[in-house]
């Protein structure tokens, strides 16, 4: 009997997994709650819920461009078009995702408008319950493997700041940020200095009267910020009309944008999965993805601080190699030891336990380990080198780091040149 595999989600992780299972002696299906592929990469001007009453998963905003060069965004076996800009917009990159889906005939494997409601381990199989979101017809199927590919960029992480309920202005999360024009001539507080916080802060600063950026990041950004861009420390409390910061200063505020990240959210996973599910981490995972206690379940795309598309592609190939039997996982105690060593390292450094998903400087070694264990093609070291230089360019100037064009010479080397583009209009069509 063929191995049965359920892939949850038709974003990059789900599509990559489907592409690498295709053509193998595997019976698989992709369950997708929306009517679209691409997950968070599909821009939708709406916020809140979609036409079927489900939460909108996308966090795309109108002016978003990738924060990694296109070489790091390439889907395995499907070359990025040469004429694609070095840092493409979401629109250009989304067309590339759709072209990938069409090229590999993946649409025929996707059950659109089918929402997974429960995944339960019973009688040595995975019982997957799901429903058609329009007819509400319910189904249940049994699978040998489950690949959870819903990512972790759809459920906002909301901070709990004293006085928040009294603030009379507008508060949104970056998940619902779409374009800057609604903040024109306003005093806007952006909270958080991750990639979205920095990007959205600069986007809004172009039109706002005053952009107050609150964060505690110790990184030394050397960007020449505009005169209306004001750096502030963490917020002590909010008032009806503004914010008091931990240094005692006060700012009048019209609107707040929380760029405070996302939660790990898998409401369909039953406790029989054996995973510990926390808003800030999922444990224990071998190789950052294999459910140690139930290793026929893999969660793809949970890594942080990496060439995420390259990492997801490698994980999808690793998962497919496991499913078709190209290699065997080590015993549970060996996998648990690998995870425990990473966990102990996080604790020893005094870091938040969410760092258990962090690759950072370990990224290239991670790819080497995946290849050595599973036999998949290794992600070339040049991608980690490009990401390292790209990070330095971000620290140097957040306005110009996307003006660099990268060309890969071979698996270890690349060249970079500077090509400033024409200036964009902030609130144009």
């Amino acid at each position: 009997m063929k191995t049965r595999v359920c892939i949850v989600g038709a974003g990059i992780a789900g599509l990559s997994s489907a592409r690498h299972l295709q053509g193998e002696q595997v019976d698989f299906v992709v369950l997708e709650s929306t009517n679209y592929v691409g997950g968070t990469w599909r821009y939708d001007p709406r916020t809140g819920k979609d036409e079927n009453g489900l939460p909108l998963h996308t966090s795309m905003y109108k002016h978003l461009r990738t924060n990694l060069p296109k070489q790091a965004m390439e889907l395995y076996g499907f070359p990025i078009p040469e004429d694609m800009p070095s840092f493409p917009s979401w629109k250009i990159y989304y067309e590339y995702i759709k072209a990938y889906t069409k090229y590999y005939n993946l649409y025929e494997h996707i059950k659109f408008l089918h929402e997974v409601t429960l995944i339960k381990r019973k009688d040595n199989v995975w019982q997957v319950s799901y429903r058609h979101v329009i007819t509400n017809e319910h189904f249940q199927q049994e699978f040998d493997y489950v690949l959870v590919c819903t990512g972790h960029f759809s459920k906002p992480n909301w901070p709990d700041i004293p006085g928040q309920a009294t603030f009379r202005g507008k508060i949104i999360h970056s998940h619902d940020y779409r374009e800057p024009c609604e903040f024109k001539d306003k005093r806007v507080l952006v909270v958080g200095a991750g990639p979205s916080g920095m990007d959205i802060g600069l986007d809004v600063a172009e039109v706002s009267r005053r952009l107050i950026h609150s964060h505690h990041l110790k990184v030394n950004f050397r960007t020449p910020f505009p005169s209306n861009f004001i750096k502030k420390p963490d917020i002590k409390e909010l008032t009806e009309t503004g914010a008091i910061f931990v240094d005692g200063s006060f700012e009048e505020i019209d609107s707040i944008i929380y760029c405070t990240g996302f939660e790990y959210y898998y409401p369909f996973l039953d406790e029989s999965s054996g995973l510990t599910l926390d808003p800030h981490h999922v444990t224990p995972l071998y190789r950052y993805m294999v459910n140690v206690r139930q290793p026929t379940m893999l969660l793809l795309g949970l890594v942080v601080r990496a060439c995420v598309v390259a990492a997801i592609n490698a994980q999808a190939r690793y998962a497919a190699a496991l499913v078709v039997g190209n290699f065997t996982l080590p015993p549970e105690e060996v996998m648990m030891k690998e995870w425990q060593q990473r966990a102990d390292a996080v604790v020893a450094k005094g870091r938040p336990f969410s760092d258990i998903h962090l690759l950072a400087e370990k990224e290239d070694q991670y790819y080497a380990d995946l290849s050595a264990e599973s036999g998949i093609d290794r992600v070339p070291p040049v991608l980690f080198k490009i990401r390292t230089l790209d990070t330095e360019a971000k620290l140097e100037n957040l306005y110009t780091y996307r003006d660099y064009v990268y060309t890969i010479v071979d698996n270890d080397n690349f060249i970079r040149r500077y090509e400033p583009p024409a200036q964009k209009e902030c609130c144009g069509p």
Side-chain angles (χ1 to χ4, degrees):
M1 186 173 69
K2 287 186 177 181
T3 301
R4 302 159 299 177
V5 182
C6 177
I7 299 172
V8 186
I12 286 180
L15 295 172
S16 298
S17 298
R19 174 260 197 268
H20 292 292
L21 286 176
Q22 196 176 49
E24 303 288 351
Q25 294 300 306
V26 174
D27 181 10
F28 74 93
V29 65
V30 182
L31 298 176
E32 167 58 46
S33 63
T34 75
N35 206 25
Y36 313 95
V37 298
T40 194
W41 281 98
R42 188 188 72 86
Y43 175 80
D44 194 315
R46 301 170 298 176
T47 59
K49 296 184 183 298
D50 66 12
E51 64 275 15
N52 300 312
L54 294 180
L56 281 161
H57 294 302
T58 181
S59 299
M60 286 295 105
Y61 43 94
K62 187 174 182 178
H63 295 151
L64 183 140
R65 292 167 64 195
T66 64
N67 63 1
L68 286 170
K70 64 182 181 181
Q71 289 82 357
M73 305 295 293
E74 185 170 281
L75 295 165
Y76 183 86
F78 195 69
I80 287 274
E82 288 188 13
D83 61 352
M84 182 184 287
S86 187
F87 290 78
S89 67
W90 65 263
K91 187 174 184 178
I92 293 172
Y93 189 68
Y94 185 57
E95 290 300 319
Y96 169 72
I97 294 172
K98 289 193 295 183
Y100 173 88
T101 309
K102 183 178 180 180
Y103 181 83
Y104 286 109
N105 298 314
L106 301 180
Y107 284 106
E108 65 186 47
H109 297 286
I110 304 171
K111 283 190 174 183
F112 290 106
L113 299 173
H114 284 81
E115 178 192 24
V116 173
T117 56
L118 180 66
I119 299 178
K120 184 175 183 178
R121 187 71 174 171
K122 187 176 181 181
D123 299 330
N124 212 33
V125 296
W126 293 106
Q127 290 184 347
V128 178
S129 301
Y130 56 99
R131 71 178 186 96
H132 194 286
V133 300
I134 295 178
T135 67
N136 205 35
E137 185 178 2
H138 288 255
F139 309 89
Q140 185 181 92
Q141 284 185 264
E142 293 183 345
F143 296 92
D144 301 298
Y145 283 85
V146 169
L147 307 183
V148 179
C149 298
T150 53
H152 59 106
F153 295 112
S154 60
K155 183 175 173 58
N157 175 49
W158 289 89
D160 184 14
I161 297 176
Q164 187 167 275
T166 67
F167 180 67
R168 296 198 303 240
K170 182 177 183 178
I171 302 177
I172 67 169
H173 190 275
S174 62
H175 176 63
D176 292 329
Y177 175 76
R178 293 295 182 265
E179 54 182 303
C181 298
E182 65 176 292
F183 300 101
K184 186 173 176 59
D185 297 327
K186 292 184 178 180
R187 298 162 297 186
V188 183
L189 172 62
V190 170
V191 182
S196 64
M198 300 308 300
D199 209 39
I200 290 173
L202 294 181
D203 202 30
V204 174
E206 294 190 24
V207 300
S208 62
R209 183 189 351 165
R210 193 169 173 86
L211 193 292
I212 300 97
H213 195 183
S214 168
H215 67 86
H216 51 252
L217 199 65
K218 293 182 174 61
V219 171
N220 180 28
F221 286 104
R222 298 181 290 280
T223 298
F225 293 105
S227 59
N228 67 333
F229 195 107
I230 311 300
K231 165 71 173 69
K232 287 290 182 179
D234 287 343
I235 303 166
K236 180 180 180 181
E237 65 177 301
L238 294 172
T239 69
E240 291 184 354
T241 60
I244 302 171
F245 301 91
V246 294
D247 63 358
S249 62
F250 174 79
E251 289 280 348
E252 294 280 351
I253 304 293
D254 298 307
S255 301
I256 300 173
I257 306 173
Y258 285 135
C259 299
T260 46
F262 296 84
E263 295 184 0
Y264 294 90
Y265 185 61
Y266 305 97
F268 47 81
L269 290 184
D270 182 84
E271 61 182 15
S272 62
S273 70
L275 290 169
T276 299
L277 302 172
D278 182 274
H280 305 294
H281 48 80
V282 179
T283 59
L285 297 177
Y286 172 69
R287 300 292 191 212
Y288 294 79
M289 62 174 154
V290 179
N291 179 349
V292 172
R293 297 191 179 98
Q294 298 288 354
T296 52
M297 171 181 283
L298 291 83
L299 292 83
L300 281 65
L302 304 196
V303 294
V304 178
R305 201 92 56 84
C307 297
V308 175
V309 173
I312 288 173
N313 270 258
Q315 289 182 336
R317 290 183 286 125
Y318 177 100
L322 176 64
V323 169
V324 302
N326 289 350
F327 75 103
T328 303
L329 290 170
E332 180 178 333
E333 59 269 22
V334 175
M335 292 192 290
M336 185 63 81
K337 182 179 179 181
E338 184 263 0
W339 175 83
Q340 191 65 56
Q341 287 175 340
R342 287 193 285 115
D344 292 344
V346 171
V347 174
K349 293 177 182 177
R351 297 290 301 161
F353 203 65
S354 57
D355 275 10
I356 195 68
H357 298 291
L358 191 72
L359 277 181
E361 73 279 356
K362 302 187 294 289
E363 181 181 8
D364 189 55
Q365 185 59 50
Y366 177 62
Y367 300 142
D369 292 342
L370 291 185
S371 298
E373 181 177 14
S374 66
I376 63 171
D377 290 344
R378 190 196 194 289
V379 174
V382 67
L383 290 187
F384 174 68
K385 294 177 181 179
I386 286 176
R387 184 175 74 82
T388 301
L389 191 57
D390 175 67
T391 298
E392 294 176 5
K394 290 183 176 78
L395 295 177
E396 188 64 36
N397 194 325
L398 287 164
Y399 284 108
T400 62
Y401 79 90
R402 292 187 177 97
D403 296 345
Y404 287 102
V405 175
Y406 295 78
T407 303
I408 291 178
V409 177
D410 54 38
N411 284 345
D412 290 289
N413 300 286
F414 68 94
I415 56 176
R416 185 181 74 164
R417 66 183 187 275
Y418 187 69
E419 289 187 5
Q423 189 173 357
K424 73 175 178 68
E425 291 185 13
C426 174
C427 294

